[in-house]
Amino acid sequence: MSANRISPLFGSSFGALLRRYREAAGLTQEALAQRAGLSVRGISDLERGARQSPRRETLDLLASALALPPHKRALLEAARSPLAPGQPPDSTARALPPNNLPAQATPLIGREREARRAAEALGRPDTRLLTLTGPGGVGKSRLALQVAEDVLERFEDGVYLVPLAALRDPALVMQAIAEAIGLRASANEPLDEQARASLRDRQTLLVLDNFEHLLAAAPRVAALLAACPRLKALVTSREPLKIAGERERAVAPLDEAAAVELFVERARAAQPSFDPASDDWETIAAICLQVDRLPLALELAAGWARLLPLPTLLERLDSRLALLSHGRRDAPERQRALRDTIAWSEQLLDPYERRLFWRLAIFSGGWTLDAAEAVCGGMESVGLDQTAPDEGVLDGLARLVEKSLALADMSPDGARFSMLETIREFARERLEASGEAEELGRRHAEYFARLGSELGWIGPRQDARDQRIERELPNIRAALAWTLARREPLIGLRLATPIGRWWYTRGAFDEAESWLRALLALDEEAGERAAPAALRVSALYALVLLMLDRRNYDGAEAMARAGLELARRHGDAARAGNMLAELGHVAEARGDLDAAMAYFEEGLAQYEQGGARQEGAAVGRTLSSLGNLARAKGDYAQAQVYLERALAWARERDFSFAVASGLVSLGHVAVEQNDYPRATTLYREALELYRTLRNPASIAWLLQGVAITVGALGNTEAVARLAGSVTSLRAVAGAAESAEWPPFARVCAAARQALGEEAYRAASERGAALGPERAITYALTLLGESAASARGDSLS
């Protein structure tokens, strides 16, 4: 999950917020009333909304009973006294700094002291890097998330979780950081330098979770911290990073009281009627001791409390631990205990559950039910009882979730499942030993190749598809790695080529080029197993786009000519048109507008010859390029013809991104002809589309036209704010520097002269702070005023 957010708690009603905090603390209304010294009826009335605005004394009692950190108390205070219309906001009623911290479904138990000390350590000026170390399953990640939430208000520019467990290549750590902070990388400089530039002056905390297998990337993290004086990092790892300035805090197992509390809480979650008798507490304490009081082991054991009497549970734990207590001497003791717990849980599975448990380890970063059924279902068992029935993936998965060997969460795709990384590693070892790993790897790669084709195209609901790609990125990377290791370029190209569009729009140029080049080289060696020509040309086309963005015009030209020759040799007119279009863009970039026009027109003829529709990916782009070339030459009539055709082409296919681009191009033509009413209409439709598409570079391109339109009415303050927003959005997108659009440059210069340097700069800074969504809203408001003014002028 790559998107930054402002906490949704801000603006909640007092009752809803109070209930959320109470449930997060694991308290009933009765328990909270007892802690706070209030009546149960009073708590109930507040949560139901029967009482809207409690007294401050009541709020103080509630906040103390819930042990709320300052930012949560401020939100509760804000909800206690909602603003009247026009009332200025209270100093405590403010939105939280930007963050991507997930909401925690359960309270943190037994780690209050560690959380407080870690938060204090992060508050010291000399602490730049704090590493929480300890064995797998000890709760480092959960503790880090609590600390990050507790210190959130100290980092005005945001706190960002960077999950690393699914990565296998240390080279991708910086890409993961860039994705977490919303950095759209540019092709023109190394990603490390872009990250340093983005974070250099920001007071930010990065939470780098599960770093132990990526230690080769530690020097890059050190360099980032050294270059960014206000940046800090909170790391979880099974061993320290061993870099300058690191402070280490070892996370130990829980003490007895906390371990017992955690076991009971998890057992009650699995079986609400679980109610230990007075003589059960000693047995529970013995159970906790047998699993070394490790949180993960406790959760696994507690899941069985609903099935086994506590004495039986203790007995079975004793036998399993004794069986595996003499493992490798060089393994950490607690790791052996944790492995014992997982092995014991696995042995209690029936044959089908065990087989499914192993198979699900093929997924990296989680999976959907559809993926599990497609990859893990309908296989003959290997090395297991051949008579074991295939009871259905859904039923087996539900039982694994119940037994705490898989996790379930709701996402926009429906239920999404995952495993704790330690459990997944255990299951993966079993899968490798089972003899099924090779077939599962192929099924996994084939499934994500099919999914890539479904998700990679541009059109309606593109935003939802892009979010799905982001969630599946660990699986996509694992599948591509499998295709390279097994020398299966056909499957790899079927996946990398459509997903290349997502990497391209996110600025992940290095990763996209790396996969595509490696797969194309492997395909060239594959002989009779080589990918179809159409797929190879599409992959070459994706590489050409990357090279153009990197301004490698010679490389782009050579690749485009190779793709053109291959497409023509196989009679593929549509893809030949794509390559001709890119040769046109190379010529345009070199300043040869006549040659560019010739290539575009030849490409257009190829599309028409081949009857190209969706397969001619550059049809709309070619028509737009012809229109923009005509506009650059001042031939507005011809520009209008081409751009109207491009817009019609996009509307026919419901390509939202291309529709929005066409509207903006036509709006710019109208602006250059001083037809501001028409420009207003076109820009307003495009802005509504960009609410969903959320492409910062494209929004910046559109806002330039809006600035000219409102500037024509003399609104110089709005011009300055829009100019600031344009600059900010370009930076967010990592857009390459380009020549300024002359009409936009002129209207900004006029506004600067009219306002004066200081006022212009202040307005520009306000615009830079808007962000994409608020910038769109502001632009729509301005255009509405512009349209109203135009109507007023016509009436007068």
Side-chain angles (χ1 to χ4, degrees), residues 9 209 247 266 462 473 497 515 652 690 722 787:
L9 299 179
D209 191 30
R247 291 184 178 273
R266 296 296 190 264
Q462 179 191 334
L473 202 55
T497 302
W515 290 120
E652 180 184 345
Y690 281 133
L722 289 168

Side-chain angles (χ1 to χ4, degrees), residues 213-234:
H213 58 300
L214 302 166
L215 292 174
R220 298 176 73 181
V221 173
L224 182 63
L225 289 167
C228 306
R230 303 179 72 199
L231 176 67
K232 295 192 177 190
L234 176 63

Side-chain angles (χ1 to χ4, degrees), residues 15-306:
L17 198 53
L18 176 61
R19 179 178 178 180
R20 187 175 304 181
Y21 288 159
R22 174 179 61 77
E23 291 177 345
L27 298 175
T28 62
Q29 289 183 344
E30 291 78 7
L32 177 59
Q34 185 176 4
R35 282 193 184 186
L38 301 171
S39 69
V40 177
R41 175 63 182 272
I43 300 291
S44 175
D45 286 350
L46 288 171
E47 291 190 353
R48 289 185 296 106
R51 292 178 57 197
Q52 294 288 344
S53 183
R55 292 177 300 173
R56 179 172 291 278
E57 294 80 5
T58 301
L59 184 141
D60 291 341
L61 291 170
L62 289 169
S64 298
L66 291 166
L68 296 180
H71 68 272
K72 288 186 176 180
R73 182 189 176 100
L75 291 170
L76 200 63
E77 169 67 20
R80 183 185 75 91
S81 304
L83 297 179
Q87 180 182 347
D90 184 82
S91 61
T92 60
R94 60 184 183 277
L96 292 176
N99 69 91
N100 66 345
L101 300 176
Q104 299 305 307
T106 57
L108 183 68
I109 293 176
R111 299 293 191 198
E112 294 80 7
R113 179 184 298 178
E114 291 100 319
R116 183 173 63 255
R117 289 181 174 176
E120 290 171 354
L122 281 173
R124 288 197 290 268
D126 59 342
T127 301
R128 301 294 310 288
L129 169 64
L130 179 64
T131 303
L132 304 180
T133 60
V138 79
K140 301 182 296 295
S141 297
R142 180 64 181 86
L143 175 59
L145 289 172
Q146 184 65 52
V147 173
E149 184 176 336
D150 290 345
V151 303
L152 180 57
E153 284 197 321
R154 301 183 195 169
F155 295 88
E156 63 185 22
D157 296 308
V159 175
Y160 299 96
L161 172 65
V162 186
L164 302 174
L167 297 186
R168 286 296 174 265
D169 185 357
L172 295 177
V173 169
M174 199 58 64
Q175 180 67 42
I177 291 174
E179 291 170 2
I181 65 175
L183 172 64
R184 302 299 179 99
S186 168
N188 298 321
E189 60 180 337
L191 184 58
D192 294 57
E193 294 181 14
Q194 295 177 62
R196 292 171 199 161
S198 176
L199 293 168
R200 181 167 291 119
D201 298 320
R202 291 166 63 179
Q203 188 173 7
T204 300
L205 175 68
L206 298 179
V207 184
L208 305 176
D209 191 30
N210 289 298
F211 206 106
E212 59 271 357
H213 58 300
L214 302 166
L215 292 174
R220 298 176 73 181
V221 173
L224 182 63
L225 289 167
C228 306
R230 303 179 72 199
L231 176 67
K232 295 192 177 190
L234 176 63
V235 176
T236 71
S237 176
R238 296 184 188 180
E239 60 181 296
L241 275 58
K242 296 182 179 178
I243 58 179
E246 181 181 31
R247 291 184 178 273
E248 180 186 354
R249 283 193 171 273
V251 182
L254 296 171
D255 62 30
E256 180 177 328
V260 168
E261 182 182 358
L262 177 60
F263 178 89
V264 172
E265 194 273 339
R266 296 296 190 264
R268 283 174 174 161
Q271 181 67 31
S273 61
F274 179 76
D275 186 19
S278 58
D279 56 353
D280 285 332
W281 292 100
E282 185 176 344
T283 305
I284 292 173
I287 288 171
C288 294
L289 182 61
Q290 285 291 76
V291 296
D292 282 352
R293 299 174 186 152
L294 290 166
L296 175 57
L298 288 165
E299 294 193 10
L300 291 169
W304 293 102
R306 67 185 184 85

Side-chain angles (χ1 to χ4, degrees), residues 537 540-541 544 547 554-566 575-576 578-584 586:
V537 174
L540 288 168
Y541 176 71
V544 171
M547 290 181 181
D554 292 342
E557 181 180 10
M559 198 74 71
R561 291 194 183 281
L564 176 61
E565 190 277 331
L566 184 59
R575 288 179 176 81
N578 288 349
M579 292 303 186
L580 285 163
E582 298 320 310
L583 286 171
V586 170

